[in-house]
Amino acid sequence: MGFIANAAVNLSRAQAEIDRAAETDFIDAATLDLAPVLGNPGKFICLGLNFKDHAAEGGFDIPDYPALFMRADSSLIGSGSPLVRPVVSETFDYEAELAVVIGETARHVSEETALSHVFGYSIFNDASVREYQRKTAQWTAGKNFDGTGAFGPAIVTADDLPPGMAEMRIQSRLNGKVLQDSSLSDMIFPVAETVSILSQIMTLYPGDVIAMGTPAGVGHARRPQLWMKPGDTCEVEIEGLGVLRNPVIDESAVAASSQAAE
């Protein structure tokens, strides 16, 4: 988080190091096992029902205030790591989302100044266990199974992107088939408004993350319903940010791998 908190200086130093580096100093990212693009964020805040078409497909009214929940760090994985379908339920759904990374402390900021507190943007797959999401009025259970929140592969700084990511395309694909395809301009609560609203509730610190909700096309709203299963590959692509790609495995395979390692 220290890098983000002093971003202007650190980005300049990083660019200078890149400019001095020889070609042999670079490592192909495809050869790496990637962690979540930001480790141990102080807060990982998520919005639900932030696209009108997604609220409608779930039978919900359009909210006049954001539906909010939190993600635990233990649920987060990086690009390329497997999304883990839990043994207790097969209702494992995909959700393509924009992730906003806070760069400057924000408390009671206006909507007009909110974007100046954003460091950059990334991609999030808010993979949800729908059966558990609906066991209670709060969504925490279905949103926090281990290995279900894919985050990455990179953070692109805000100065390289349109303000608030307006008009940028967001898409999810399962085994190459497009299932969600929308524009971030369709968000009910855009980035600036969301940052302002959250800053009325809590202080946002550098490195905090906000996941901005998903558009229509999720599996639970389809007929027949469509759930991710072991052997699938789920991709989330956002214009300007790249592709977040994760295979899907069953939790039993994780347990078997751990036992073999012992």
Side-chain angles (χ1 to χ4, degrees):
M1 309 311 170
F3 184 96
I4 292 174
N6 195 17
V9 172
N10 288 325
L11 285 171
S12 178
R13 289 174 176 170
Q15 186 61 57
E17 290 297 324
I18 291 171
D19 293 340
R20 284 195 294 266
E23 186 174 342
T24 54
D25 293 329
F26 291 92
I27 299 172
D28 183 357
T31 65
L32 302 175
D33 293 327
L34 300 178
V37 70
L38 193 62
N40 300 306
K43 292 186 281 292
F44 201 109
I45 308 160
C46 302
L47 273 67
L49 308 177
N50 197 29
F51 286 74
K52 290 181 181 179
D53 56 0
H54 177 54
E57 72 176 355
F60 295 97
D61 293 333
I62 304 302
D64 56 14
Y65 192 84
L68 303 171
F69 59 94
M70 308 289 282
R71 269 274 186 177
D73 185 64
S74 56
S75 73
L76 303 180
I77 59 171
S79 183
S81 294
L83 289 161
V84 181
R85 186 183 73 171
V87 296
V88 295
S89 179
E90 294 183 354
T91 61
F92 195 32
D93 209 347
Y94 51 86
E95 290 194 12
E97 304 200 8
L98 172 70
V100 179
V101 180
I102 297 298
E104 294 184 8
T105 301
R107 179 65 169 159
H108 293 300
V109 301
S110 69
E111 189 173 335
E112 291 70 28
T113 63
L115 292 182
S116 68
H117 296 265
V118 173
F119 172 75
Y121 300 93
S122 190
I123 306 173
F124 186 58
N125 187 345
D126 186 29
S128 305
V129 184
R130 298 300 189 189
E131 178 184 349
Y132 277 73
Q133 181 181 343
R134 285 164 172 70
K135 281 184 179 288
T136 71
Q138 302 296 321
W139 298 344
T140 300
K143 300 286 190 173
N144 279 284
F145 278 80
D146 289 355
T148 58
F151 183 26
I155 299 172
V156 180
T157 54
D159 58 339
D160 284 331
L161 295 162
M165 292 293 287
E167 309 296 334
M168 302 300 266
R169 188 178 185 183
I170 182 170
Q171 192 178 84
S172 71
R173 298 183 291 269
L174 190 63
N175 302 323
K177 181 180 180 180
V178 175
L179 298 176
Q180 294 175 284
D181 194 356
S182 187
S183 169
L184 293 172
S185 62
D186 292 338
M187 290 189 292
I188 299 168
F189 303 99
V191 175
E193 184 178 2
T194 298
V195 171
S196 178
I197 289 171
L198 290 174
S199 77
Q200 296 167 9
I201 304 167
M202 65 189 83
T203 303
L204 299 174
Y205 292 106
D208 285 348
V209 180
I210 307 167
M212 294 296 298
T214 199
V218 296
H220 84 90
R222 293 177 174 271
R223 297 296 179 269
Q225 292 178 320
L226 177 64
W227 308 120
M228 293 189 292
K229 63 186 184 303
D232 287 346
T233 297
C234 190
E235 297 173 303
V236 179
E237 182 171 3
I238 299 180
E239 187 179 358
L241 300 181
V243 179
L244 171 67
R245 183 179 293 107
N246 299 88
V248 181
I249 65 171
D250 197 80
E251 186 179 8
S252 59
V254 178
S257 177
S258 297
Q259 290 175 356
E262 293 175 359

